[in-house]
Amino acid sequence: MTLDGGSRELLETDKSLEIERKFLVETLPDNCDRESYEHIVQGYLAITDDGTEVRLRRKGDQYFQTVKGPGDMVRSEYEIELTPEQFTALWPATCGMRVEKARYDIAYEGLTIELDVYHGELEGLRIAEVEFKSTTESTSFVVPRWFGTEVTKDHRYKNKHLALVGLHDTASIACI
Amino acid sequence: MTLDGGSRELLETDKSLEIERKFLVETLPDNCDRESYEHIVQGYLAITDDGTEVRLRRKGDQYFQTVKGPGDMVRSEYEIELTPEQFTALWPATCGMRVEKARYDIAYEGLTIELDVYHGELEGLRIAEVEFKSTTESTSFVVPRWFGTEVTKDHRYKNKHLALVGLHDTASIACI
């Protein structure tokens, strides 16, 4: 028995790649409009030892599921939008692996800096992420003065560590 | 900052549990209607070391995503139906972790036996699964004569092993 025509079509979708760098932020920039941000609540369905993540995210009134492959600067990424009902049905499975933050989108020299201000158990943590179109663009990026230490490859700031352990080895958002 | 009203609602969904036993099958039963089965193609988005699985499944013309928690006989389970477009967008992320089988549903003393006849790299493998409403029902189950060895707790027959390694240490369905 072989896959029928419908299944073969399913195998031909292109793979997406995500290229990004991540920095700690201590002082917010002057042009960071504190009224313009989105609440993000996210939880993980699974995080494997090789770094593969299956993440649920509520961003404003939209719901997403994202699968990210292993890696630091370059990772595969597959994302779909979920209906509120789909999200609600899966959300309980993220218990113990949740993170809450406000996201500011800041324009910077043709790029968008995503500044995440964490809340809940991670209160006080601020991380800026920049996504690039190529590794060349990534390595030639001129770091803004208000960025702190780069943590792209620091395992303590990976989503797995933040969601499972937190910054102070405490649990994240409580499960009701 | 705390979760708003909408987020709190999302936390209150009930957890589902799955109670099942699994057996090898060498000889198919007489009442197994060989014309009445469904093709199942499934792939895993993630399988963690503790046994948590995030699985995509195409069953006939329907598409599902299931999150199963760790465990042998009793596991948590959360399932949603996906649109064909959602399934197609996520399917490439299952590359290297796919399984193909035909499923026969067989009525047996008020229960349903799910008989899976594997194809592809797992050709020749047949596994019968029975799902129960309680652990009492599970332990008092009278095993049909055509069932072979019970493998409920045998790690070699767990989905992780079958999808990642196969029966003969070969890869599963090729990725195109």
Side-chain angles (χ1 to χ4, degrees), chain A residues 110-142:
Chain A
L111 298 165
T112 300
I113 294 170
E114 294 178 338
L115 173 62
D116 287 340
V117 178
Y118 286 78
H119 296 286
E121 294 294 336
L122 296 169
E123 190 78 43
L125 177 65
R126 296 170 186 152
I127 294 181
E129 283 187 8
V130 190
E131 193 166 333
F132 305 95
K133 295 184 191 67
S134 66
T135 50
T136 307
E137 188 180 63
S138 165
T139 49
S140 63
F141 174 60
V142 179

Coordinates of all heavy atoms in Angstrom, one line a residue, chain A residues 110-142:
Chain A
G110 N 14.9 49.7 9.0 CA 14.4 48.7 8.0 C 14.0 47.4 8.6 O 13.4 46.5 8.0
L111 N 14.3 47.2 9.9 CA 14.0 45.9 10.6 C 13.0 46.2 11.7 O 12.7 47.3 12.0 CB 15.3 45.4 11.3 CG 16.4 45.0 10.3 CD1 17.7 44.8 11.1 CD2 16.1 43.7 9.5
T112 N 12.4 45.1 12.2 CA 11.5 45.3 13.4 C 12.2 44.6 14.6 O 12.5 43.4 14.5 CB 10.2 44.6 13.1 OG1 9.6 45.3 12.0 CG2 9.2 44.8 14.3
I113 N 12.4 45.4 15.7 CA 12.8 44.8 16.9 C 11.6 44.4 17.7 O 10.7 45.2 17.9 CB 13.6 45.9 17.7 CG1 14.9 46.2 17.0 CG2 14.0 45.3 19.1 CD1 15.7 47.4 17.5
E114 N 11.5 43.2 18.1 CA 10.5 42.7 19.0 C 11.0 42.7 20.4 O 11.8 41.9 20.8 CB 10.0 41.3 18.6 CG 9.4 41.2 17.2 CD 9.0 39.8 16.8 OE1 9.6 38.8 17.4 OE2 8.2 39.6 16.0
L115 N 10.4 43.6 21.2 CA 10.9 43.8 22.6 C 9.8 43.1 23.5 O 8.7 43.5 23.6 CB 11.0 45.3 23.0 CG 11.3 45.6 24.5 CD1 12.6 45.0 24.9 CD2 11.3 47.1 24.7
D116 N 10.3 42.0 24.2 CA 9.4 41.3 25.1 C 9.6 41.7 26.5 O 10.7 41.5 27.1 CB 9.6 39.8 24.9 CG 9.0 39.3 23.6 OD1 8.1 40.0 23.0 OD2 9.4 38.2 23.2
V117 N 8.6 42.2 27.2 CA 8.6 42.6 28.6 C 7.8 41.5 29.4 O 6.6 41.4 29.3 CB 8.1 44.0 28.9 CG1 8.1 44.3 30.4 CG2 8.9 45.0 28.1
Y118 N 8.5 40.6 30.1 CA 7.9 39.5 30.8 C 7.1 39.9 32.0 O 7.5 40.8 32.7 CB 8.9 38.4 31.1 CG 9.4 37.7 29.8 CD1 10.3 38.3 29.0 CD2 8.9 36.4 29.5 CE1 10.7 37.6 27.8 CE2 9.3 35.8 28.3 CZ 10.2 36.4 27.5 OH 10.6 35.7 26.3
H119 N 6.1 39.1 32.3 CA 5.3 39.3 33.6 C 5.2 38.0 34.3 O 5.9 37.0 33.9 CB 4.0 39.9 33.2 CG 4.1 41.2 32.6 ND1 4.4 42.4 33.3 CD2 4.0 41.6 31.3 CE1 4.4 43.4 32.5 NE2 4.2 43.0 31.3
G120 N 4.4 38.0 35.3 CA 4.3 36.7 36.1 C 5.6 36.4 36.8 O 6.3 37.3 37.3
E121 N 6.0 35.1 36.8 CA 7.2 34.7 37.5 C 8.5 35.2 36.9 O 9.5 35.2 37.5 CB 7.2 33.1 37.4 CG 6.1 32.4 38.2 CD 6.3 32.7 39.7 OE1 7.4 33.0 40.2 OE2 5.2 32.6 40.4
L122 N 8.4 35.7 35.6 CA 9.5 36.2 34.9 C 9.6 37.8 35.0 O 10.3 38.4 34.2 CB 9.6 35.7 33.5 CG 9.7 34.2 33.3 CD1 9.4 33.8 31.9 CD2 11.1 33.8 33.8
E123 N 8.8 38.4 35.8 CA 8.7 39.9 36.0 C 10.2 40.4 36.1 O 11.0 39.9 36.8 CB 8.0 40.2 37.3 CG 7.6 41.7 37.4 CD 6.4 42.1 36.5 OE1 5.4 41.3 36.5 OE2 6.5 43.2 35.9
G124 N 10.4 41.5 35.3 CA 11.7 42.1 35.3 C 12.6 41.7 34.1 O 13.5 42.4 33.7
L125 N 12.3 40.6 33.5 CA 13.1 40.2 32.3 C 12.6 40.9 31.1 O 11.4 41.0 30.8 CB 12.9 38.6 32.1 CG 13.6 38.1 30.9 CD1 15.1 38.2 31.0 CD2 13.2 36.6 30.7
R126 N 13.5 41.4 30.3 CA 13.2 42.1 29.0 C 14.2 41.5 28.0 O 15.4 41.6 28.2 CB 13.4 43.6 29.1 CG 12.5 44.3 30.1 CD 12.9 45.7 30.2 NE 12.2 46.4 31.3 CZ 12.6 47.4 32.0 NH1 13.9 47.8 31.8 NH2 11.9 48.0 32.9
I127 N 13.6 41.0 26.9 CA 14.5 40.5 25.8 C 14.1 41.1 24.5 O 12.9 41.2 24.2 CB 14.3 38.9 25.7 CG1 14.9 38.3 27.0 CG2 15.0 38.4 24.5 CD1 14.8 36.8 27.1
A128 N 15.0 41.5 23.7 CA 14.8 42.1 22.4 C 15.2 41.0 21.3 O 16.3 40.4 21.5 CB 15.6 43.3 22.1
E129 N 14.3 40.7 20.4 CA 14.7 39.8 19.3 C 14.6 40.5 18.0 O 13.7 41.3 17.8 CB 13.6 38.6 19.3 CG 13.9 37.6 20.4 CD 13.0 36.4 20.3 OE1 12.3 36.3 19.3 OE2 13.0 35.5 21.2
V130 N 15.5 40.1 17.1 CA 15.5 40.7 15.8 C 15.5 39.5 14.8 O 16.4 38.7 14.9 CB 16.6 41.7 15.5 CG1 16.4 42.4 14.2 CG2 16.8 42.6 16.6
E131 N 14.6 39.5 13.8 CA 14.5 38.5 12.8 C 15.1 39.0 11.5 O 14.9 40.2 11.1 CB 13.1 38.0 12.6 CG 13.0 36.7 11.8 CD 11.6 36.1 11.9 OE1 10.9 36.3 12.9 OE2 11.3 35.4 11.0
F132 N 15.9 38.2 10.9 CA 16.6 38.6 9.6 C 16.2 37.7 8.4 O 15.7 36.6 8.6 CB 18.1 38.5 9.8 CG 18.6 39.3 11.0 CD1 18.8 38.6 12.3 CD2 18.9 40.6 10.9 CE1 19.2 39.3 13.4 CE2 19.3 41.3 12.0 CZ 19.5 40.7 13.3
K133 N 16.5 38.3 7.2 CA 16.1 37.5 6.0 C 17.2 36.6 5.6 O 17.0 35.7 4.8 CB 15.8 38.5 4.9 CG 14.6 39.4 5.1 CD 14.3 40.2 3.9 CE 13.3 41.3 4.2 NZ 13.8 42.3 5.2
S134 N 18.5 36.8 6.1 CA 19.6 36.0 5.7 C 20.6 36.0 6.9 O 20.6 36.9 7.7 CB 20.3 36.5 4.5 OG 20.9 37.8 4.7
T135 N 21.5 35.0 6.9 CA 22.6 35.0 7.9 C 23.5 36.1 7.7 O 24.1 36.7 8.6 CB 23.3 33.6 7.9 OG1 23.7 33.4 6.5 CG2 22.5 32.5 8.4
T136 N 23.7 36.6 6.4 CA 24.6 37.8 6.1 C 24.0 39.0 6.8 O 24.7 39.7 7.5 CB 24.6 38.0 4.6 OG1 25.0 36.8 4.0 CG2 25.6 39.1 4.3
E137 N 22.7 39.2 6.6 CA 22.1 40.4 7.3 C 22.2 40.3 8.8 O 22.4 41.3 9.5 CB 20.6 40.4 6.9 CG 19.8 41.7 7.3 CD 18.4 41.7 6.9 OE1 17.6 40.8 7.4 OE2 18.0 42.6 6.2
S138 N 22.1 39.0 9.3 CA 22.2 38.8 10.7 C 23.5 39.2 11.3 O 23.6 39.8 12.3 CB 21.8 37.3 11.0 OG 22.2 37.0 12.3
T139 N 24.6 38.7 10.6 CA 25.9 38.9 11.2 C 26.4 40.4 11.0 O 27.2 40.9 11.7 CB 27.0 38.0 10.5 OG1 26.8 38.0 9.1 CG2 26.7 36.6 11.0
S140 N 25.8 41.1 10.0 CA 26.2 42.5 9.8 C 25.3 43.5 10.5 O 25.5 44.7 10.4 CB 26.2 42.8 8.3 OG 24.9 42.7 7.8
F141 N 24.4 43.0 11.4 CA 23.5 43.8 12.1 C 24.2 44.8 13.1 O 25.1 44.3 13.9 CB 22.6 42.9 12.9 CG 21.6 43.6 13.9 CD1 20.7 44.5 13.4 CD2 21.7 43.3 15.2 CE1 19.8 45.1 14.3 CE2 20.8 43.9 16.1 CZ 19.8 44.8 15.6
V142 N 24.0 46.1 13.0 CA 24.6 47.1 13.9 C 23.7 47.1 15.2 O 22.6 47.6 15.1 CB 24.7 48.4 13.3 CG1 25.3 49.4 14.2 CG2 25.5 48.3 12.0

